[in-house]
Amino acid sequence: MDIPYLPLARGLRCLLPPSWPHVIGLAPHPALAINPHGHLYWSATGGEEPWPEETAIERIGAAFALGIPQGLLHLASRELDTPLPAGIACWRELGRLYLTGFCHGVNPRAGGVPPAPPVPTTELQALLDRLPPIQGGEYLTFDALAALWEVLDAQIRAEAAAHPEGPSGYLKALSPSWRLVGRVCFHLAENRRSEEYPFAFLATYAVGLSAQGRVQYQPLAAALKEYAGKRHQAALLHLLAPVQAAAEQSALTRELLDSRSLFQPLAWTPTQAYRFLQEVPPLDASGVVVRLPDLWAGGRPPRPQVTVRVGQAPAQGLGLEALLDFQIDRCLDGEPLTDQEWQSLMASAGGLVLIRGRWVEADPQQLRTTLDHWRQAVRRAGSGVSLAEALRLLSGVAADGGGGVAAVTEPVAQWSGLQPGDWLATTLARLRDPAQLTAAGAIPGLLAELRPYQRTGVSWLRFMSELGLGACLADDMGLGKTVQILALLLARRAEGRSSGPSLLVAPASLLANWRAEIERFAPDLTWCIVHPAELSGEQWQALQQNLAGSLAGCELVLTTYGLVARLEELQRLPWDLVVLDEAQAIKNPSTRQSRGVKKLAARQRLVLTGTPVENRLSDLWSIFDFLNPGLLGSARQFGRFVKARGTDAGSLGGLRSLVRPYILRRMKTDRRVIADLPEKTEVKAWCGLAPRQAALYGQAVRELAEGVTAVEGIRRRGMVLASLMRLKQICNHPSQWLRDGVYAEADSGKLQRLRRLVEEIVQRQEKALVFTQFQEMTGPLQEFLNEVFGRPGLVLHGGTPVRERRRLVDTFQSEQGPPFLVLTVKVGGTGLNLTEASHVIHFDRWWNPAVENQATDRAFRIGQRRPVLVHQLVCRGTVEERIDEMLERKSHLAEEVLSQQGGERLLTEMGDQELLRFVSLDLGRSTTVE
């Protein structure tokens, strides 16, 4: 079953080369994901991790079809030993964590449901920190986890209360591991009165709860008396069942049971105590509780370690190849061991050894091997270890096969203590929490008042630039990534840090947006666009012959991915910064444009994206191969890592930790951001015209020019209005004017721009309202958006029966409802409440601000909990752009005239020449060619 709210990674298989999915282990698989409300849901095709046991998919999917708490309970009871993908196993840990707390509160001799276990703050935060990459992981917060804990608590307590045998019977029915009736507990404690037998062992069983809510224990021997007699034999067998199960896996438990030593206190040597510690896993799995209250925090004795510290002093150089100092020491709990203490450990037989008055776990041979490994690593490192290797080392993600310092075996890792030195720790803290950086102040030449989170973003980008590290600005759509990049360029210029021109690479459909933002926020920044549509034929020819000379004096050069791949001289020029907008364009590493972009020479590389790349292994390697080549190893090494660790949540959490310092992601749902945002933000989505559109538009203008001079009065007004309607329809799609029903995406610059816009909304799992003034466009738009969203949406227009409208609205407003609703502008102004949408897209402009604003306010109204982003699609170089300019420059005219008469009425009053200039086609500015 596939519960709605699933953004599909459509086209991934067809975009990647045939071998690539197998290299990194990609394929659509069932998974658990998070929606924008922070709620967990089951998706049949939303994951990338393969399942070790495919037979478990049907069982687990069926459990989650009953509800999220039922699914979590199933994981923590019926699938305790089932190998699972990391993205599923982490949720099993949540269920286990809850049941552990619940079980410890149950009184095995009473039938009442115990109080709800308190939310374990530390454990939930730890679970959140090691969450592997999952769809929608950016929405998972501590509060969302705590809410899930409450939901799980309500479900389990209700089921336990309804069970005929009460909570104990209920837990017994779940799994042997959760049996609490007469639960047996093995205690190990220190015996300080004896040097020969410094440990004591005692088996107990739980008899109830104390007044303080703690479990009370009695020696297990007391059970033999309490359950004496044949009529209590079944109860005794039930009590000892977990012990019997443990005996099948634990030789020590079998010996204690057979000799009946289990029923009396025992004095043990360190060797016996250490043997017991080795048997703890099968005891836990069998349902026997192990208590080590007076020995070691975390249930294990401390280990002496070979401590590796990197980056105590500032790095030498810039970028990932900057060298860090590399030091090793022998420590216990972070404190250096003396030579005498180390020799005592080396001379011991291993197991439990008394050091500094404490029992520690020691393995002399493994400690010796670990120390030798790191001493050899120091010799190989020579003058230092690279920043890249240091970060891989600390994250536990080694680029295997390269012979580097970071490549360690599992036994060596277990006996090593890895930590950053002072300089590296401070640097990583600033990268991961840019609020620690000094916020950017006034920037000369920037005509914008940066919001606090934007100033923090600029400071972070500057800090990354100073370090020479590639950076990914992954702010939510509408949070101002463009203005932060412009602020960075201007700040570098003011500080004298620029070493030459910078290059910005974007899809052709976004060049107009960048042009508009530069003109608005950084008008004194010298820039040029390398694109044939922006230059005359002679200029384009001259540029190709002498690219460097043609770009002399430009601080920022804008071009497209396609041209980077075709103009090899762009790849050879030395750039200060290279910035990729819509960086998902290089997620497929085998394409020509990805290979071309990665050849660009730059002092620093930046990428912009509105999608959480750290949650998608399919995008991660290729983007980081551009940003910080080598950090994730080669494609083959990364593929082996993913394949080998695909079910290991800890390893994938290490991967997230490795890339996190290079990604700055702020979301509109973040309380630190949302308090600083306007409730409604309007942005222009500039579009080009496809060749067929441009030809039809030009033809329409010529026919208007021929006919407008031959008529007067009302006939002239009718002709102008008809021509304007024709131009509007052509700007939408030629098929709307021609009525041929084809509606091919390649024939409409607006559809192409809409796809790019919607794909980012899909990744964010957000909802959108799409407005058009033409009822005949609602069907083609719905069909197109069905494909882009990967799920069907809804349509509402004047022909929709009134009684049907409420059902459509209610369906859209439901949390798991359709992802988009296409509406006509006028029907959108009839009291509809559509606050589930956080995006409003005006596919075509109504030219009447009052009507357009009324439509927008279907989402931006009372009850809206998120900022609304309004996207206005405008065709560059056409009458749409000129109307938009008029609305921007003459807002008073827009309100006083257009709101009363409409834009079309105003244009009919123009003279012939003024009208023709207004509607004429600027072919160079209107192109969509990449």
Side-chain angles (χ1 to χ4, degrees):
M1 175 178 179
D2 194 358
I3 298 176
Y5 238 111
L6 170 66
L8 299 176
R10 300 169 298 46
L12 180 60
R13 287 185 173 275
C14 63
L15 289 174
L16 295 175
S19 62
W20 180 248
H22 301 289
V23 171
I24 64 173
L26 299 181
H29 297 284
L32 286 166
I34 308 294
N35 70 20
H37 294 270
H39 297 164
L40 190 67
Y41 69 97
W42 173 263
S43 165
T45 55
E48 296 176 350
E49 299 177 72
W51 285 63
E53 286 189 14
E54 293 189 0
T55 55
I57 295 175
E58 185 176 351
R59 299 193 304 268
I60 295 173
F64 277 97
L66 300 175
I68 294 302
Q70 291 91 331
L72 293 174
L73 184 57
H74 176 86
L75 288 177
S77 57
R78 307 303 183 189
E79 309 291 347
L80 273 175
D81 301 321
T82 304
L84 298 173
I88 303 293
C90 64
W91 298 108
R92 176 169 60 187
E93 289 306 309
L94 178 64
R96 281 176 168 171
L97 187 62
Y98 175 84
L99 281 176
T100 299
F102 184 81
C103 288
H104 281 287
V106 169
N107 185 336
R109 299 179 67 111
V113 179
V119 176
T121 303
T122 302
E123 289 82 354
L124 285 190
Q125 186 60 52
L127 182 64
L128 188 64
D129 290 342
R130 64 175 183 267
L131 182 76
I134 62 172
Q135 178 70 36
E138 70 273 22
Y139 296 118
L140 188 62
T141 64
F142 179 86
D143 289 343
L145 266 183
L148 200 55
W149 179 277
E150 300 294 341
V151 170
L152 188 58
D153 175 70
Q155 179 71 29
I156 291 180
R157 284 160 52 78
E159 291 185 8
H163 197 277
E165 297 180 23
S168 295
Y170 168 71
L171 289 168
K172 183 171 62 174
L174 283 180
S175 170
S177 295
W178 300 120
R179 295 177 187 172
L180 280 186
V181 177
R183 194 170 183 184
V184 174
C185 181
F186 289 176
H187 300 262
L188 183 68
E190 283 190 84
N191 178 18
R192 298 182 181 273
R193 292 174 296 180
S194 172
E195 293 185 4
E196 185 178 359
Y197 297 99
F199 293 96
F201 169 83
L202 179 66
T204 68
Y205 73 107
V207 295
L209 297 174
S210 67
Q212 292 75 31
R214 295 181 178 178
V215 180
Q216 295 177 318
Y217 296 97
Q218 287 189 7
L220 192 56
L224 300 181
K225 298 178 181 179
E226 181 178 349
Y227 297 134
K230 287 187 177 181
R231 64 191 184 93
H232 296 298
Q233 186 175 11
L236 181 61
L237 291 176
H238 171 73
L239 172 68
L240 296 179
V243 179
Q244 185 64 46
E248 296 175 3
Q249 304 294 326
S250 165
L252 175 60
T253 305
R254 168 56 61 188
E255 293 171 11
L256 292 172
L257 192 59
D258 289 347
S259 66
R260 298 183 67 82
S261 300
L262 186 66
F263 303 101
Q264 59 189 12
L266 300 174
W268 277 356
T269 65
T271 300
Q272 291 172 305
Y274 188 68
R275 182 188 178 192
F276 172 75
L277 289 176
Q278 304 300 100
E279 303 281 0
V280 167
L283 292 174
D284 282 338
S286 302
V288 176
V289 178
V290 176
R291 294 288 188 191
L292 309 170
D294 300 323
L295 287 177
W296 311 288
R300 296 291 299 184
R303 284 180 172 182
Q305 292 183 319
V306 178
T307 301
V308 180
R309 181 179 286 104
V310 290
Q312 183 70 17
Q316 301 176 25
L318 295 174
L320 290 178
E321 298 308 312
L323 294 180
L324 301 178
D325 59 300
F326 183 67
Q327 305 169 4
I328 60 174
D329 206 346
R330 302 162 302 183
C331 296
L332 177 63
D333 288 339
E335 295 295 325
L337 289 164
T338 65
D339 290 340
Q340 182 178 358
E341 289 169 337
W342 182 259
Q343 291 305 321
S344 296
L345 288 169
M346 294 299 100
S348 71
L352 294 176
V353 180
L354 193 63
I355 295 289
R356 298 177 182 172
R358 300 174 58 199
W359 292 99
V360 302
E361 181 180 6
D363 184 334
Q365 181 57 46
Q366 191 56 57
L367 281 169
R368 194 176 291 113
T369 299
T370 301
L371 183 61
D372 289 343
H373 170 87
W374 290 118
R375 283 176 171 170
Q376 293 175 16
V378 169
R379 288 194 291 270
R380 289 199 307 271
S383 57
V385 62
S386 72
L387 177 59
E389 277 207 284
L391 295 174
R392 285 196 293 267
L393 183 67
L394 294 172
S395 68
V397 180
D400 59 339
V405 171
V408 299
T409 62
E410 186 64 26
V412 167
Q414 290 178 359
W415 293 89
S416 300
L418 310 174
Q419 55 187 272
D422 291 347
W423 178 85
L424 184 55
T426 300
T427 299
L428 289 175
R430 291 174 177 173
L431 293 178
R432 290 167 176 157
D433 182 13
Q436 297 185 25
L437 296 168
T438 302
I443 299 175
L446 183 68
L447 303 185
E449 182 66 33
L450 295 178
R451 300 182 182 280
Y453 73 87
Q454 292 172 332
R455 289 199 294 270
T456 299
V458 174
S459 298
W460 182 78
L461 290 170
R462 290 166 70 181
F463 187 54
M464 295 295 279
S465 182
E466 291 170 9
L467 295 173
L469 297 174
C472 173
L473 184 60
D475 282 348
D476 239 350
M477 185 188 300
L479 294 188
K481 295 187 287 292
T482 302
V483 74
Q484 291 177 70
I485 291 297
L486 296 177
L488 173 67
L489 293 172
L490 292 172
R492 287 177 57 78
R493 181 179 71 179
E495 297 164 0
R497 294 181 178 273
S498 297
S499 59
S502 294
L503 178 69
L504 183 130
V505 186
S509 58
L510 296 186
L511 292 181
N513 285 68
W514 276 95
R515 178 210 298 267
E517 296 290 275
I518 294 171
E519 292 172 347
R520 179 182 179 186
F521 297 122
D524 67 340
L525 188 72
T526 56
W527 57 278
C528 55
I529 296 180
V530 175
H531 195 285
E534 297 289 331
L535 305 168
S536 66
E538 294 77 10
Q539 290 174 323
W540 178 243
Q541 189 67 28
L543 182 142
Q544 291 178 291
Q545 293 173 355
N546 183 12
L547 183 62
S550 301
L551 301 181
C554 287
E555 295 175 271
L556 178 62
V557 176
L558 296 85
T559 192
T560 66
Y561 287 97
L563 283 173
V564 168
R566 294 197 293 272
L567 294 180
E568 294 185 1
E569 192 173 349
L570 281 173
Q571 302 168 14
R572 293 192 291 268
L573 289 177
W575 303 102
D576 184 36
L577 306 181
V578 170
V579 183
L580 305 187
D581 195 7
E582 300 285 353
Q584 56 269 30
I586 65 166
K587 67 182 181 181
N588 181 355
S590 67
T591 63
R592 183 184 179 189
Q593 67 183 30
S594 293
R595 296 195 305 269
V597 162
K598 292 177 182 181
K599 293 178 182 177
L600 291 168
R603 181 185 176 280
Q604 186 194 21
R605 296 177 171 189
L606 306 174
V607 301
L608 307 179
T609 179
T611 60
V613 297
E614 76 276 17
N615 285 340
R616 297 185 56 79
L617 296 179
S618 56
D619 302 353
L620 191 64
W621 182 86
S622 187
I623 289 177
F624 267 81
D625 187 47
F626 167 79
L627 274 184
N628 294 302
L631 181 68
L632 300 185
S634 67
R636 189 174 298 278
Q637 289 169 341
F638 186 70
R640 285 201 298 265
F641 170 82
V642 171
K643 186 175 182 180
R645 311 292 180 90
T647 60
D648 184 350
S651 294
L652 293 180
L655 177 62
R656 181 187 290 269
S657 174
L658 178 60
V659 301
R660 186 178 297 165
Y662 310 95
I663 301 172
L664 180 58
R665 178 160 184 79
R666 278 83 58 88
M667 296 185 293
K668 295 189 292 287
T669 53
D670 189 332
R671 292 178 182 176
R672 294 168 296 181
V673 173
I674 196 171
D676 189 51
L677 285 178
E679 295 173 316
K680 179 173 67 173
T681 302
E682 296 184 352
V683 294
K684 299 291 189 302
W686 297 105
C687 311
L689 294 182
R692 192 179 183 205
Q693 279 179 299
L696 287 172
Y697 190 101
Q699 178 184 340
V701 173
R702 289 192 298 273
E703 292 178 3
L704 175 61
E706 293 170 0
V708 74
T709 58
V711 294
E712 296 179 353
I714 194 169
R715 291 183 59 196
R716 181 185 184 278
R717 179 173 294 174
M719 174 179 288
V720 172
L721 289 175
S723 295
L724 290 175
M725 182 63 68
R726 178 180 178 182
L727 294 177
K728 274 187 175 184
Q729 293 173 329
I730 292 171
C731 285
N732 280 354
H733 199 291
S735 293
Q736 186 183 356
W737 166 250
L738 298 173
R739 303 191 184 283
D740 58 12
V742 178
Y743 288 97
E745 181 181 347
D747 288 340
S748 170
K750 277 194 178 180
L751 284 187
Q752 295 170 31
R753 184 70 178 89
L754 182 62
R755 175 182 288 278
R756 291 189 183 278
L757 179 61
V758 168
E759 282 176 342
E760 190 164 337
I761 296 173
V762 170
Q763 293 295 326
R764 297 284 298 118
Q765 303 183 73
E766 293 176 333
K767 293 190 178 187
L769 304 180
V770 182
F771 285 105
T772 175
Q773 63 178 290
F774 301 102
Q775 184 170 326
E776 65 266 25
M777 278 302 300
T778 57
L781 281 173
Q782 181 189 30
E783 184 176 351
F784 176 76
L785 292 172
N786 284 345
E787 188 269 325
V788 180
F789 274 96
R791 293 173 54 202
L794 303 173
V795 168
L796 179 58
H797 52 65
T800 305
V802 175
R803 60 180 177 275
E804 179 71 5
R805 296 184 184 186
R806 174 47 52 192
R807 186 191 68 81
L808 291 174
V809 169
D810 290 344
T811 301
F812 180 79
Q813 284 291 95
S814 65
E815 181 177 326
Q816 298 176 355
F820 71 90
L821 175 60
V822 179
L823 309 93
T824 53
V825 174
K826 284 191 173 181
V827 80
T830 57
L832 303 177
N833 189 341
L834 298 166
T835 53
E836 271 295 301
S838 51
H839 294 267
V840 173
I841 302 172
H842 289 287
F843 187 73
D844 43 58
R845 306 295 300 278
W846 183 255
W847 296 0
N848 185 326
V851 175
E852 197 169 85
N853 288 337
Q854 189 180 31
T856 295
D857 289 346
R858 296 315 94 210
F860 175 63
R861 62 187 305 163
I862 295 173
Q864 177 59 269
R865 299 178 303 278
R866 300 174 296 275
V868 174
L869 199 55
V870 183
H871 311 268
Q872 299 161 334
L873 273 61
V874 180
C875 283
R876 196 82 170 175
T878 71
V879 65
E880 288 194 335
E881 181 180 16
R882 281 139 203 159
I883 286 287
D884 181 75
E885 290 172 350
M886 185 174 65
L887 294 175
E888 291 288 338
R889 291 197 305 266
K890 302 180 180 180
S891 58
H892 67 282
L893 179 66
E895 293 299 327
E896 295 175 8
V897 179
L898 295 186
S899 61
Q900 299 174 21
Q901 299 178 323
E904 295 92 337
R905 178 68 178 273
L906 181 65
L907 295 183
T908 63
E909 306 299 329
M910 289 182 176
D912 292 349
Q913 295 306 313
E914 184 183 9
L915 173 64
L916 293 174
R917 282 195 302 271
F918 203 85
V919 301
S920 64
L921 176 65
D922 185 339
L923 188 58
R925 291 163 62 82
S926 66
T927 183
T928 61
V929 178
E930 290 283 345

